[in-house]
């Protein structure tokens, strides 16, 4: 795992020391690659590439970057891992040495060298499609004077880019771009509105005007002097889902379990390729348990596993993870997160994420990464299982809710919704909280309040889904943004052509929530401590198989992940893993009323909000007053405002 950055100047400026600027940019990414650094500059063409290295494969100098192809045409900086690079090497070696001798003169065994050889032999697009892995890279073609940026299929590895005057900047994190003298830190109010809606800034936007995220499964070509920056897709999750559903798996349940085990075992074996210590993140849920079980089955020694928990038992997964670890025989370590730990970590979050990010599980995620890094350099996780095998509660809640709402006349829905929003949230939590908890719902009062609002607004099951993944009701009004920027949730002509609404939700989550929330959270939290994380569920062969499965192999008997459950039961007794889905939340509501209250009070002060001028304080102050006095539970809604405020303070 590494950090990459660089720039391309369309009008070279001899007064600028390109080498010094590139070095300054890459120094901001030292946490992503503490083992080595390198830069390469060609002032005649205005290109600079810079790299920070976390050595995972080929720890020798043969893996140093920027790396040049054997033929001399290409230079590359690469972040990530190509899991099937040894297979690709064998394919490349099958070509005639007489026709392409440079391809076969291997200097080391790094996947970066394999990637360059593939590009030399097959070109960029074919190599991207052939590569199985997580990655982002920048490639300079000396002959064509062409810069190519590329990102993996599911968006595990980040890359930002954009023109600032006559200079094209790119990098793994925004802090690298900000280190260039041409960078202009102008906040995009439209992106801010989207952030308040989703708790993250969705692709392709960033919090800064003129700076974008490269969409997953695409590559971008830039010529010096030509500001053309429309990404080209080389892989599409929508196409995979549509094809899988059109050509479904036709085997029996037993066949499906066997095929799933084979695909997941292959993915795990690909991803345990490492020249450094490796472990797993274990929550005790089905996803991480499946990964850990298959890892342990392939290891004679105990696999290192790690869990973070809380003193508040209703949020803690420690006891479940420990039970699974004992059964599988892993070498397990667990720690607990306290409110004091959270308060100490919060000041680090703006620098860690570079732009506002408000998934509150970012706190325990970072701490479990810190724990793992004390013992290993690579850790496997279960990310992606929910989107592939229907694990989120909304996949059950939305259809069930709509089946009732759709029977009501619209006017009745509206007035019933008004009534629900009038109910006191704390009262609902007190009355039905224990029962709701058994169903995996932590804050029923919030859910009932949101349902009331949705009943007044939604006219279809798709409307209901979009409303459930949105936090603040009117974020554009809160930020002074004239109109909400275009985004996938509002542009339904770009949605997958699938009849099943649950399948549509799963694809949309795979295109938005997974890459822009889950994978961002994991990447930044892990790389802040120089830990590489890998997600076997995001193996493309496994993704294609999962999307070919009929929905009744994912949802059965009122539960999601049916097929994955059957696989896990081969390794772990059901009673160790069967429990309501918990997610990875923290006791945010109570913490904001207690040990975090003074911090929040300061950031949400009305005078401060008015002075800064980015947020309308009316709705925010109302929500904070109700939350802090216990009249409502708005912690997760307010967290987005608090994270923006904390980030804004770090910018000044």
């Amino acid at each position: 795992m590494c950090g990459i950055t660089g720039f391309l100047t369309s009008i070279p400026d001899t007064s600028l020391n390109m080498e010094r600027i590139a070095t300054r940019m890459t120094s901001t990414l030292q946490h992503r690659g503490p083992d080595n650094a390198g830069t390469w500059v060609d002032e005649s063409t205005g290109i600079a590439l810079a790299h920070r290295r976390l050595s995972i494969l080929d720890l020798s100098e043969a893996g140093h970057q920027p790396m040049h192809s054997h033929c001399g045409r290409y230079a590359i900086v690469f972040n990530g891992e190509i899991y099937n690079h040894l297979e690709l090497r064998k394919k490349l070696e099958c070509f005639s040495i007489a026709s392409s001798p440079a391809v076969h003169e291997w200097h080391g065994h790094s996947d970066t060298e394999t990637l360059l050889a593939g590009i030399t032999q097959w070109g960029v697009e074919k190599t991207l499609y052939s590569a199985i892995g997580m990655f982002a890279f920048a490639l300079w073609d000396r002959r064509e004077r062409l810069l190519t940026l590329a990102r993996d299929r599911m968006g595990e590895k980040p890359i930002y880019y954009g023109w600032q005057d006559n200079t094209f900047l790119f990098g793994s994190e925004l802090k690298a771009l900000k280190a260039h003298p041409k960078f202009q830190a102008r906040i995009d109010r439209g992106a801010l509105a989207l952030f308040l809606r989703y708790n993250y800034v969705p692709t392709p936007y960033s919090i800064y005007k003129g700076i974008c995220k490269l969409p997953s499964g695409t590559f971008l070509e830039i010529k010096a002097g030509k500001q053309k920056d429309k990404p080209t897709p080389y892989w599409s999750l929508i196409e995979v889902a549509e094809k899988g559903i059109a050509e479904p798996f036709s085997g029996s349940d037993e066949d499906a379990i066997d095929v799933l085990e084979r695909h997941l075992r292959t993915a795990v074996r690909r991803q345990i390729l490492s020249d450094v210590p490796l472990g797993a993140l274990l929550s005790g849920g089905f996803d991480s348990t499946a990964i850990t079980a298959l890892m342990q089955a392939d290891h004679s020694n105990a696999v290192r596993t790690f869990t973070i928990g809380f003193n508040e038992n209703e949020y803690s997964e420690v006891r479940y993870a420990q039970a699974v670890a004992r059964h599988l025989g892993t070498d397990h370590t667990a720690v607990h997160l306290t409110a004091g730990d959270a308060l100490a970590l919060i000041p680090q979050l703006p620098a860690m994420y570079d732009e506002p990010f408000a998934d509150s599980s970012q706190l325990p995620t970072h701490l479990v990464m810190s724990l793992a890094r004390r013992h290993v350099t690579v850790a496997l996780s279960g990310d992606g299982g929910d989107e592939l095998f229907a694990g989120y509660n909304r996949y059950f809640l939305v259809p069930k809710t709509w089946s009732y709402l759709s029977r009501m006349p619209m006017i009745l829905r509206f007035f019933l919704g008004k009534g629900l929003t009038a109910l006191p949230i704390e009262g609902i939590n007190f009355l039905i909280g224990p029962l709701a908890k058994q169903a995996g719902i932590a804050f029923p009062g919030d859910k009932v309040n949101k349902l009331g609002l949705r009943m007044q607004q939604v006219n279809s099951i798709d409307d209901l889904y979009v409303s459930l993944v949105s936090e603040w009701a009117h974020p554009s009004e809160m930020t002074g943004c004239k109109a909400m920027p275009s985004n996938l949730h509002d542009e339904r002509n770009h949605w997958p052509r699938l009849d099943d609404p649950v399948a549509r939700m799963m694809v949309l989550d795979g295109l938005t929530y997974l890459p822009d929330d889950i994978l961002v959270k994991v990447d930044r939290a892990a790389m802040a401590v120089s830990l590489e994380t890998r997600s076997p569920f995001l193996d493309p062969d496994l993704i294609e198989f999962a999307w070919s499965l009929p929905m009744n192999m994912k949802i059965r008997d009122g539960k999601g992940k049916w097929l994955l459950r059957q696989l896990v039961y081969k390794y772990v007794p059901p009673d160790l893993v069967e429990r309501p889905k918990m997610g990875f939340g923290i006791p945010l509501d109570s913490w904001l009323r207690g040990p975090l209250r003074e911090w929040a009070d300061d950031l949400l002060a009305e005078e401060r909000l008015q002075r800064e001028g980015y947020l309308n304080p009316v709705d925010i102050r109302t929500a904070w007053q109700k939350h802090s006095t216990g009249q409502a539970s708005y912690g997760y809604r307010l967290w987005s405002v608090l994270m923006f405020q904390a980030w804004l303070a770090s910018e000044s």
Side-chain angles (χ1 to χ4, degrees):
M1 199 64 58
C2 307
I4 64 172
T5 189
F7 57 93
L8 176 63
T9 304
S10 58
I11 305 174
D13 185 348
T14 55
S15 66
L16 295 176
N17 187 320
M18 293 178 61
E19 180 82 30
R20 183 181 303 161
I21 293 171
T23 300
R24 186 166 67 207
M25 293 172 73
T26 196
S27 68
T28 66
L29 302 176
Q30 183 174 354
H31 55 286
R32 297 188 74 94
D35 298 328
N36 197 260
T39 59
W40 175 77
V41 169
D42 183 350
E43 293 188 356
S44 65
T45 56
I47 183 69
L49 304 178
H51 185 264
R52 292 291 320 193
R53 185 183 183 195
L54 174 62
S55 301
I56 303 294
L57 289 175
D58 195 348
L59 310 186
S60 72
E61 277 299 305
H64 180 76
Q65 297 185 47
M67 186 179 290
H68 300 267
S69 63
H70 300 165
C71 63
R73 177 177 173 179
Y74 300 105
I76 195 171
V77 283
F78 173 79
N79 168 30
E81 304 291 342
I82 305 297
Y83 302 128
N84 66 332
H85 90 96
L86 295 179
E87 300 166 34
L88 295 180
R89 283 199 174 202
K90 291 179 181 178
K91 290 182 180 179
L92 288 163
E93 289 164 356
C94 289
F95 287 90
S96 170
I97 295 179
S99 61
S100 299
V103 170
H104 310 286
E105 296 174 2
W106 306 114
H107 293 162
H109 63 273
S110 76
D111 51 352
T112 309
E113 187 179 9
T114 306
L115 185 67
L116 273 174
I119 291 170
T120 301
Q121 184 69 45
W122 300 318
V124 170
E125 188 165 2
K126 183 178 178 181
T127 301
L128 284 170
Y129 193 80
S130 301
I132 294 174
M134 55 171 185
F135 54 82
F137 67 75
L139 176 81
W140 177 248
D141 183 338
R142 289 174 170 174
R143 189 176 74 190
E144 299 296 329
R145 294 194 172 188
L146 179 71
L147 176 65
T148 300
L149 306 183
R151 195 176 182 198
D152 63 69
R153 288 168 173 82
M154 295 301 291
E156 292 184 71
K157 292 294 104 186
I159 189 162
Y160 293 85
Y161 69 91
W163 286 95
Q164 301 282 273
D165 294 330
N166 63 350
T167 301
F168 181 80
L169 308 176
F170 64 87
S172 298
E173 297 182 16
L174 284 168
K175 56 176 63 70
L177 280 65
K178 291 169 67 176
H180 193 284
K182 292 290 183 70
F183 185 85
Q184 301 174 48
R186 298 169 297 166
I187 293 177
D188 185 335
R189 287 184 181 270
L192 176 57
L194 288 169
F195 165 70
L196 293 179
R197 180 177 179 182
Y198 298 123
N199 289 341
Y200 57 82
V201 179
T203 302
Y205 304 100
S206 84
I207 194 62
Y208 296 115
K209 291 182 179 180
I211 303 298
C212 299
K213 302 181 184 82
L214 186 66
S216 54
T218 70
F219 64 95
L220 174 69
E221 294 180 335
I222 299 292
K223 275 243 183 188
K226 296 182 180 180
Q227 296 192 14
K228 178 184 177 183
D229 55 359
K230 185 176 180 181
T232 300
Y234 67 87
W235 187 86
S236 166
L237 179 61
I238 290 178
E239 291 179 2
V240 168
E242 290 175 345
K243 181 181 178 182
I245 290 176
E247 303 171 6
F249 179 80
S250 58
S252 66
D253 288 348
E254 291 72 22
D255 293 336
I257 296 169
D258 290 342
V259 176
L260 172 59
E261 183 170 22
R262 185 169 69 247
H263 276 301
L264 193 54
R265 186 181 296 278
T266 298
V268 168
R269 284 175 174 170
R270 281 172 173 163
Q271 298 194 20
I272 60 176
L273 181 65
S274 173
D275 293 334
V276 294
L278 181 143
L281 307 175
L282 178 62
S283 69
F286 284 97
D287 302 335
S288 63
T289 297
I291 300 302
T292 303
L294 292 174
M295 282 183 69
Q296 189 59 72
D298 268 357
H299 281 75
S300 56
N301 298 324
V303 170
R304 295 301 306 260
T305 54
F306 310 93
T307 304
I308 192 84
F310 307 94
N311 293 330
E312 297 84 351
N313 285 334
E314 64 267 30
Y315 293 89
S316 185
E317 296 179 315
V318 167
R319 62 188 184 278
Y320 305 113
Q322 287 174 332
V324 170
R326 282 194 298 269
H327 182 82
L328 294 176
T330 71
D331 182 358
H332 191 66
T333 307
V335 297
H336 286 77
L337 171 66
T338 67
D341 296 326
L343 193 58
L345 180 58
I346 283 170
Q348 303 175 38
L349 296 178
M352 192 182 302
Y353 287 89
D354 271 338
E355 64 180 348
F357 183 78
D359 182 334
S360 61
S361 63
Q362 63 202 111
L363 295 167
T365 298
H366 177 64
L367 289 178
V368 76
M369 301 301 180
S370 300
L371 169 65
R373 186 61 178 93
R374 297 174 203 161
H375 306 278
V376 299
T377 310
V378 178
L380 271 60
S381 79
D383 295 315
D386 287 309
E387 291 81 2
L388 289 178
F389 295 97
Y392 292 131
N393 288 328
R394 57 176 165 264
Y395 302 149
F396 310 92
L397 179 64
V398 170
K400 185 179 293 186
T401 303
W402 182 246
S403 71
Y404 293 117
L405 294 181
S406 61
R407 300 172 193 169
M408 299 181 192
M410 187 173 175
I411 189 70
L412 179 59
R413 286 206 307 266
F414 178 82
F415 283 108
L416 182 56
K418 293 277 284 187
L420 290 177
T421 55
L423 295 174
I425 291 176
E426 283 297 300
I428 298 171
N429 287 339
F430 177 77
L431 289 174
I432 66 172
L435 183 63
K437 183 182 175 182
Q438 294 179 17
I441 300 173
F443 302 100
D446 287 341
K447 303 296 189 296
V448 170
N449 183 264
K450 286 183 178 181
L451 174 61
L453 291 172
R454 275 44 174 186
M455 289 175 69
Q456 301 170 58
Q457 302 165 352
V458 304
N459 294 304
S460 70
I461 192 170
D462 290 330
D463 288 345
L464 183 56
Y465 162 73
V466 170
S467 71
L468 284 176
V469 298
S470 304
E471 196 60 64
W472 289 92
H474 306 289
S476 57
E477 297 175 9
M478 293 173 62
T479 62
C481 173
K482 294 181 180 178
M484 188 69 71
S486 63
N487 64 94
L488 184 58
H489 286 124
D490 292 340
E491 297 180 343
R492 299 186 188 178
N493 58 313
H494 293 149
W495 284 22
R497 297 182 297 276
L498 302 174
D499 294 330
D500 187 335
V502 174
R504 290 199 298 273
M505 287 187 272
M506 291 168 64
V507 176
L508 291 168
D509 284 344
L511 292 168
T512 57
Y513 180 66
L514 178 62
D516 289 332
D517 185 308
I518 300 297
L519 298 180
V520 168
K521 174 184 65 179
V522 170
D523 175 79
R524 305 306 191 278
M527 293 313 302
V529 294
S530 306
L531 176 75
E532 174 173 308
T533 52
R534 300 176 179 179
S535 304
F537 279 110
L538 300 185
D539 182 278
D541 294 336
L542 180 58
I543 292 172
E544 291 179 10
F545 169 68
W547 274 108
S548 75
L549 291 169
M551 192 59 76
N552 71 351
M553 287 189 175
K554 299 176 183 178
I555 298 176
R556 191 178 296 187
D557 302 325
K559 296 180 179 179
K561 299 183 181 175
W562 180 85
L563 188 66
L564 185 60
R565 289 169 188 264
Q566 310 316 303
L567 173 58
V568 170
Y569 296 157
K570 294 177 66 173
Y571 295 89
V572 177
D575 62 310
L576 291 187
V577 286
E578 281 290 359
R579 66 181 189 275
K581 184 174 179 59
M582 296 180 66
F584 199 32
I586 64 174
L588 185 59
D589 282 336
S590 60
W591 284 3
L592 285 175
R593 295 189 187 104
L596 301 185
R597 180 166 181 165
E598 184 178 348
W599 166 78
D601 258 332
D602 178 55
L603 291 175
L604 300 180
E606 185 172 1
E607 304 78 18
R608 179 173 186 158
L609 293 169
Q610 289 176 336
R611 182 178 68 253
E612 292 165 344
Y614 288 104
L615 298 173
N616 184 329
V618 176
D619 289 344
I620 295 169
R621 290 298 305 172
T622 299
W624 176 235
Q625 190 274 331
K626 288 184 176 181
H627 180 88
S628 60
T629 57
Q631 300 174 55
S633 293
Y634 291 146
Y636 291 89
R637 182 180 303 176
L638 289 163
W639 189 250
S640 61
V641 179
L642 290 166
M643 284 296 94
F644 173 72
Q645 290 294 97
W647 174 83
L648 188 64
S650 73
E651 291 287 285
S652 59

